[in-house]
Amino acid sequence: MKRDTGFRRIIKYTYFYEKLEVKDQVILYESFHGKAMVDSPYAIFKMLVNDPKYRGYKHVWALNTTEGNLYAEEYTDHNNVEFVKVHSDKYLKYLAAAKYLINNTTFPPYFQKKAGQIYVNTWHGTPLKTLGKDMKGGLGQHKNIQRNFAHTDYLINPNIYTADKLVESHDLAGIYNGTIIHEGYPRVDLTLNANRDEIRNKMSRLVTIDKTKKIILYAPTWRGEVNSVSNTKDEIQQVIKELYQKIPDGYQLLLKVHTLMYKHIKNDKRLEEVCIPDWVDTNELLSVVDILITDYSSIFFDYLVTKKPIIFFMYDREIYETERGLYIRLDQLPGPICKDIEEVIDCMKNADTHLPFYEDKYQKYIKEFCPYDDGHATERNVEIIFQEKHTKNCFRVRNEKRNILLYCGGFLNNGITTSAINLLNNLDYSKYNLVVMDKSNYDATSTENMNKLNPMVKKFFRVGSMNTTIIESYKHNYLINKGLKNESLHKFIPRTLYNREVHRLFGDIEFDIVIDFSGYVPFWSLLFAFGNFKRKVIYQHNDMQAEYDKKINKKYKHRSNMNLIFPIYKYFDKIISVAEHTRDVNKANLQKYIPSEKAAYVHNCIDPEKVQSLVEEKSELLRVSHQQYLVMNNTTQNGILKFKGIMMPEEGKVHFVNMGRLSPEKDQKKLIIAFSKIAEVHDYVRLYIIGEGVLEHELKKLTIQLGVQDKVYFTGQLSNPFQLISTCDCFILSSNHEGQPMVLLEALIVGIPIISTDIPGSRSILQNGYGELVENSVDGLVLGMEKYLMNQLLTREFDYRTYNREALGMFYREVCGEEVEKNSVLQETKLGIYLDHTS
């Protein structure tokens, strides 16, 4: 509380959220995070504050400073208008108690709408450039926007095109519970209904304006990413300088930059004479503009209603299209596109001549993007929001599919990630809306894995921290640190905290089924166990007692987490293991925690088409001294090629291959020792080990000690391991425990012979002749490799299509609670039926 401002703010907001009653006639307005009193919230405010029907309402503006703000000055003496700073105590109170919340961007991550509040988001423009998940750059840039939208009761749009883009780009289709409105933008009324003389007089108090001259406005958008705005001040300065020197007679130049860019130039002396302050409403300004120069900004859509010339200055068109992306073809824009300043100057001088040339495109854009901009959009939107007079242009996007929420474990390079990707690539999206919730920050590995998900998956990203009381925070941290193995502690579980967090993250979105597909992360296990969901499921991807006892660097890796997760199994409707043997082991070892009737098993799904396509994918090979290498990465500098490559299998040699994390449970140490014994007798054998992990240095050191460093190849992590695996002779798994090893299923798809230690997870796949199960020891692996070298391994063909159908049937039945008819063929045995009976 003393050292963390953010924590103090959360504590205060939570107190107000829980204690204050909603005040029916209070409206909180916010635009651009409190930077200004502008845009559609301002248009709505101007109507309401002057309308006798709403005389009894109090209007609260979130405004970080009123100093020098002519808009705020106009209302300073109004008894029913109050200004508060964002994050201030008063702001927190009104955010928690005002019935109506009206914003054109987002409220902070700690905000969550409470029962009785009505949240209206007006957004701030028709999108030319991409939004949300469609934006290039880092994953989840839009996370707080998406979260805010999930809380809204109304999303206001100028046209159906914008409504579609907002919904789709923020993964709201099918799950959003609010109302979409497309009755026109209130802010455009500020342009159409403006008193132009009054606006010019107001502008003359801010910048040098000659009232006898026409106005050219240069209004560029911002560059970069949402949380990393590029400083383009120097570029803007140069453009203004060149335009200023060659501006046509009878015109004057003004500058209005995007609010995200304003902080970089607001104190620049070279621009102060032409730069309009950030707090000035852009739409009121547009009412006195005679020529607009812009780039990729949505400002031009609003300006269309003036029917005056628009010039598009896109000096970085190729770069911008590549780095940000656009929704609309630029060659269809209602004005000339200029690549350099000379073209802009020419278009300025000939603006009236150019305008008729673009008349058809101009009218087409007005019809498509401004169909309701008639000066009365504010009135219609206000009647919808405050009087519930819904029109034909109000609609919902919620569908009748069941909503499933999954947490998949961070999308690290492991079997859980592979299993999750395969499952989500196989599910029936005609019946379900699938939402994956994950962390907010991604490295290259988790980004790559996240991007492998089926495009139908809706991706949400956690932002901010839990809204908590002091007592709840103490209880939560105590449970995280101490666990719940003591039954008496269960009465202290802060269930309200976890329900509140679910609501903060997902707003009004409702989920029928939640799946903790990871089963290793206490935070998500707690949220899913105690959230108000209809059906709750948690997965066990391994022998969980063995995981509990696993040590890495002399420390128990999972013990602390499992001390909390094991005791809350009972709060889930189903505890799903990934194989029958694994379920039986977990039931036996954890019978204290797993109610027998809740234990079930569901086989991992596979993606055979993807595996086969990767086998056939021809990665770059390079031949050096009669030996082929799989090129990992390469660079060319000054005519010199430098590359890292993996030696491909050689003719006349036998190549075993292993894939998995380099960690204790995979036990590549045992495999290397066994291989060294084989290599003593058979000089022609080689071993590939694919993967990375904490034991890499130790394992490489072991190969040196055993004298097989030239016969064991550590490849590291491979984005496509299957081209290498398919050219090897035999797959070998040395694990001490597994749930249901994905690598064995993938090896079966590849069609390579398999040797594995006889552990429950592997036995569930390889029993009935799919591979060689050997004693879980060095001697057992030696025996298995000897049998292969003597051509004594018998394998049977794997019917992966039948397997996948049954795995999906299990998922629908056990996880989703559906009544799924079993295929009569599948009742013959457990996994033994997944062979071609004709072979």
Side-chain angles (χ1 to χ4, degrees):
M1 284 291 286
K2 287 184 177 180
R3 69 174 181 266
D4 191 332
T5 303
F7 184 73
R8 285 199 304 277
R9 185 180 298 140
I10 284 172
I11 295 294
K12 288 180 181 178
Y13 175 71
T14 305
Y15 176 82
F16 297 142
Y17 179 88
E18 292 292 338
K19 300 297 182 182
L20 297 181
E21 294 184 0
V22 173
K23 298 179 180 179
D24 287 341
Q25 292 191 314
V26 176
I27 308 170
L28 174 66
Y29 306 86
E30 185 174 324
S31 290
F32 298 118
H33 312 294
K35 294 177 184 177
M37 186 179 176
V38 296
D39 210 85
S40 290
Y42 175 58
I44 295 171
F45 162 75
K46 283 189 73 174
M47 177 182 171
L48 293 176
V49 80
N50 293 307
D51 191 329
K53 292 199 297 288
Y54 301 96
R55 185 178 289 116
Y57 280 76
K58 181 171 185 177
H59 306 271
V60 182
W61 265 99
L63 201 60
N64 295 331
T65 179
T66 59
E67 185 178 349
N69 188 321
L70 302 184
Y71 292 78
E73 287 179 6
E74 185 178 344
Y75 296 97
T76 301
D77 296 330
H78 283 55
N79 293 330
N80 62 339
V81 179
E82 183 177 354
F83 298 98
V84 297
K85 292 183 179 181
V86 174
H87 304 315
S88 67
D89 286 359
K90 282 190 174 181
Y91 174 81
L92 300 180
K93 288 180 180 179
Y94 283 119
L95 192 61
K99 178 168 184 176
Y100 296 95
L101 307 166
I102 303 177
N103 202 321
N104 80 333
T105 47
T106 60
F107 289 114
Y110 55 78
F111 161 75
Q112 58 186 112
K113 184 187 66 179
K114 66 191 295 184
Q117 290 186 306
I118 296 175
Y119 179 10
V120 181
N121 194 293
T122 69
W123 199 236
H124 51 271
T126 296
L128 170 63
K129 52 186 180 282
T130 54
L131 298 173
K133 69 179 184 181
D134 300 332
M135 293 172 61
K136 308 292 176 62
L139 279 176
Q141 297 177 61
H142 60 295
K143 51 186 176 286
N144 194 43
I145 300 170
Q146 183 185 51
R147 193 191 68 84
N148 266 254
F149 285 169
H151 282 270
T152 59
D153 296 277
Y154 296 100
L155 275 177
I156 292 180
N157 300 270
N159 46 63
I160 192 64
Y161 161 84
T162 301
D164 287 344
K165 292 302 180 188
L166 281 181
V167 167
E168 291 295 336
S169 66
H170 292 86
D171 273 335
L172 300 175
I175 61 174
Y176 174 64
N177 262 323
T179 298
I180 310 291
I181 307 173
H182 60 102
E183 282 285 1
Y185 254 165
R187 71 183 194 176
V188 177
D189 290 355
L190 299 174
T191 303
L192 292 171
N193 303 330
N195 182 321
R196 290 168 176 76
D197 290 334
E198 184 180 302
I199 299 300
R200 276 182 172 268
N201 288 334
K202 188 180 289 185
M203 293 306 108
S204 66
R205 295 170 61 184
L206 306 174
V207 293
T208 302
I209 286 185
D210 185 337
K211 296 182 180 180
T212 67
K213 291 184 177 182
K214 294 183 176 181
I215 294 174
I216 297 173
L217 179 67
Y218 179 46
T221 192
W222 57 285
R223 269 78 171 162
E225 296 185 12
V226 173
N227 298 312
S228 180
V229 178
S230 301
N231 185 352
T232 56
K233 180 176 70 173
D234 292 341
E235 295 173 17
I236 292 172
Q237 286 174 344
Q238 185 61 31
V239 171
I240 292 296
K241 179 181 178 181
E242 295 188 41
L243 290 177
Y244 204 83
Q245 291 172 347
K246 298 182 180 181
I247 193 168
D249 293 339
Y251 286 90
Q252 58 195 316
L253 182 67
L254 295 180
L255 170 68
K256 187 76 164 73
V257 300
H258 193 283
T259 185
L260 292 175
M261 185 62 202
Y262 184 71
K263 64 182 180 181
H264 295 296
I265 68 168
K266 62 181 179 180
N267 296 318
D268 193 298
K269 296 294 183 183
R270 292 168 291 181
L271 296 174
E272 62 181 6
E273 290 187 5
V274 296
C275 186
I276 300 294
D278 199 30
W279 52 261
V280 172
D281 183 77
T282 299
N283 290 84
E284 287 193 344
L285 174 62
L286 289 179
S287 70
V288 298
V289 170
D290 298 282
I291 298 176
L292 173 67
I293 303 172
T294 187
D295 43 21
Y296 318 97
S297 172
S298 65
I299 190 174
F300 88 86
F301 287 104
D302 289 11
Y303 191 65
L304 288 169
V305 297
T306 68
K307 299 180 175 62
K308 294 178 180 179
I310 305 169
I311 299 169
F312 295 93
F313 181 29
M314 298 177 172
Y315 59 88
D316 59 348
R317 176 175 173 175
E318 290 77 13
I319 296 173
Y320 198 91
E321 283 187 283
T322 301
E323 293 184 353
R324 175 64 187 266
L326 303 172
Y327 286 129
I328 295 175
R329 285 176 52 186
L330 296 183
D331 58 4
Q332 297 298 311
L333 292 177
I337 298 175
C338 304
K339 292 185 178 180
D340 57 53
I341 203 71
E342 293 301 324
E343 291 182 6
V344 175
I345 293 167
D346 178 69
C347 288
M348 284 196 305
K349 292 178 178 179
N350 300 286
D352 292 336
T353 305
H354 283 296
L355 189 57
F357 181 77
Y358 290 95
E359 178 67 19
D360 289 345
K361 292 180 179 178
Y362 212 110
Q363 290 303 320
K364 180 182 177 182
Y365 264 64
I366 288 176
K367 184 178 180 180
E368 182 175 357
F369 300 110
C370 311
Y372 309 108
D373 289 333
D374 56 2
H376 299 284
T378 307
E379 180 182 344
R380 291 192 296 273
N381 280 289
V382 163
E383 288 185 347
I384 291 168
I385 296 163
F386 289 86
Q387 299 179 36
E388 297 186 2
K389 293 183 178 180
H390 288 201
T391 69
K392 64 179 182 180
N393 293 325
C394 298
F395 65 97
R396 300 173 73 85
V397 294
R398 175 75 184 269
N399 60 36
E400 297 304 313
K401 300 177 186 179
R402 297 178 77 189
N403 293 339
I404 300 179
L405 172 66
L406 299 96
Y407 171 70
C408 299
F411 290 93
L412 309 173
N413 274 334
N414 56 36
I416 294 176
T417 294
T418 301
S419 179
I421 292 170
N422 290 345
L423 173 65
L424 293 168
N425 282 340
N426 276 284
L427 290 180
D428 186 350
Y429 289 90
S430 69
K431 296 165 57 178
Y432 298 100
N433 292 307
L434 270 297
V435 177
V436 166
M437 183 66 175
D438 214 274
K439 59 193 176 186
S440 59
N441 298 310
Y442 288 81
D443 58 18
T445 297
S446 53
T447 296
E448 181 182 0
N449 287 327
M450 192 77 157
N451 286 332
K452 292 177 182 177
L453 290 177
N454 189 300
M456 293 293 290
V457 173
K458 303 176 189 301
K459 301 173 186 174
F460 277 59
F461 307 86
R462 185 169 185 247
V463 56
S465 303
M466 290 191 291
N467 288 329
T468 180
T469 65
I470 287 287
I471 296 299
E472 288 171 341
S473 178
Y474 178 82
K475 288 179 177 179
H476 173 71
N477 288 323
Y478 186 88
L479 297 184
I480 292 293
N481 289 318
K482 299 295 184 181
L484 275 166
K485 297 187 81 171
N486 184 338
E487 186 66 28
S488 64
L489 291 176
H490 285 238
K491 62 185 177 183
F492 296 111
I493 295 171
R495 297 167 187 247
T496 300
L497 170 64
Y498 303 134
N499 270 295
R500 190 187 303 122
E501 176 65 359
V502 169
H503 178 252
R504 185 187 73 86
L505 293 176
F506 300 105
D508 293 336
I509 297 172
E510 298 173 352
F511 292 101
D512 301 285
I513 305 165
V514 292
I515 305 169
D516 181 359
F517 196 76
S518 165
Y520 282 89
V521 183
F523 174 81
W524 294 103
S525 298
L526 287 166
L527 252 60
F528 286 10
F530 300 109
N532 287 326
F533 302 113
K534 297 175 184 176
R535 186 173 178 86
K536 308 170 186 179
V537 177
I538 189 168
Y539 263 70
Q540 296 176 319
H541 288 275
N542 224 315
D543 174 342
M544 300 308 292
Q545 183 65 48
E547 289 287 272
Y548 184 83
D549 294 329
K550 181 170 72 177
K551 283 185 176 181
I552 296 179
N553 296 327
K554 299 181 179 180
K555 292 183 178 179
Y556 291 105
K557 182 178 180 181
H558 298 301
R559 183 160 289 191
S560 177
N561 289 350
M562 294 305 133
N563 280 335
L564 190 152
I565 293 174
F566 288 168
I568 63 174
Y569 278 155
K570 65 181 181 180
Y571 298 108
F572 287 87
D573 297 293
K574 284 285 183 178
I575 301 113
I576 303 293
S577 291
V578 290
E580 183 181 19
H581 294 292
T582 307
R583 180 203 60 183
D584 294 343
V585 168
N586 285 330
K587 278 180 65 176
N589 291 337
L590 302 174
Q591 57 183 314
K592 177 181 176 182
Y593 303 112
I594 300 179
S596 181
E597 70 279 5
K598 293 185 176 184
Y601 70 96
V602 172
H603 293 149
N604 286 316
C605 281
I606 53 178
D607 193 341
E609 288 76 17
K610 176 185 172 185
V611 172
Q612 289 169 338
S613 68
L614 290 172
V615 168
E616 295 169 3
E617 182 182 279
K618 299 304 178 186
S619 301
E620 188 175 357
L621 297 175
L622 190 65
R623 184 171 290 278
V624 179
S625 299
H626 306 293
Q627 174 62 49
Q628 276 194 325
Y629 291 84
L630 179 65
V631 177
M632 300 292 294
N633 51 64
N634 64 85
T635 57
T636 303
Q637 186 175 9
N638 299 325
I640 305 298
L641 171 66
K642 296 181 179 180
F643 77 95
K644 177 183 177 181
I646 299 169
M647 183 184 294
M648 292 294 285
E650 306 168 80
E651 289 187 18
K653 294 183 171 59
V654 173
H655 303 84
F656 295 97
V657 59
N658 168 274
M659 183 165 68
R661 283 190 316 277
L662 309 185
S663 60
E665 76 279 10
K666 305 297 183 182
D667 206 355
Q668 286 94 350
K669 178 180 179 181
K670 177 174 63 197
L671 173 59
I672 291 170
I673 294 171
F675 176 78
S676 71
K677 294 181 180 295
I678 291 291
E680 286 179 10
V681 181
H682 307 286
D683 187 57
Y684 54 87
V685 295
R686 300 290 185 268
L687 172 64
Y688 287 93
I689 297 180
I690 303 171
E692 57 190 12
V694 293
L695 298 183
E696 182 173 351
H697 176 73
E698 181 182 330
L699 294 175
K700 286 181 177 179
K701 185 178 178 181
L702 177 63
T703 64
I704 296 172
Q705 293 171 348
L706 296 174
V708 291
Q709 67 270 27
D710 294 330
K711 296 180 180 180
V712 179
Y713 308 138
F714 291 88
T715 72
Q717 196 71 34
L718 300 180
S719 58
N720 176 12
F722 299 109
Q723 185 178 358
L724 176 60
I725 291 173
S726 65
T727 58
C728 289
D729 300 289
C730 181
F731 190 91
I732 187 163
L733 191 72
S734 53
S735 298
N736 294 323
H737 62 88
E738 294 270 3
Q740 189 197 32
M742 291 301 301
V743 289
L744 293 188
L745 292 169
E746 290 164 341
L748 285 170
I749 296 169
V750 171
I752 184 174
I754 297 172
I755 299 167
S756 174
T757 47
D758 189 2
I759 56 175
S762 298
R763 191 181 313 129
S764 69
I765 296 175
L766 299 182
Q767 63 185 357
N768 300 308
Y770 288 102
E772 186 74 18
L773 290 166
V774 299
E775 181 184 276
N776 184 14
S777 65
V778 169
D779 290 342
L781 290 172
V782 169
L783 180 61
M785 286 186 276
E786 283 285 6
K787 285 188 72 172
Y788 175 78
L789 295 174
M790 296 171 64
N791 200 28
Q792 294 179 355
L793 287 191
L794 297 179
T795 59
R796 306 177 84 170
E797 187 174 341
F798 180 60
D799 184 355
Y800 50 78
R801 289 186 178 87
T802 302
Y803 167 86
N804 228 22
R805 283 198 300 270
E806 170 64 3
L808 281 171
M810 289 175 166
F811 179 85
Y812 294 136
R813 185 168 55 250
E814 300 293 350
V815 175
C816 302
E818 288 189 14
E819 289 295 326
V820 180
E821 184 178 350
K822 292 185 179 182
N823 186 315
S824 59
V825 175
L826 301 178
Q827 297 177 31
E828 296 178 16
T829 63
K830 298 303 181 185
L831 211 70
I833 53 82
Y834 302 114
L835 53 87
D836 182 348
H837 286 282
T838 64
S839 64

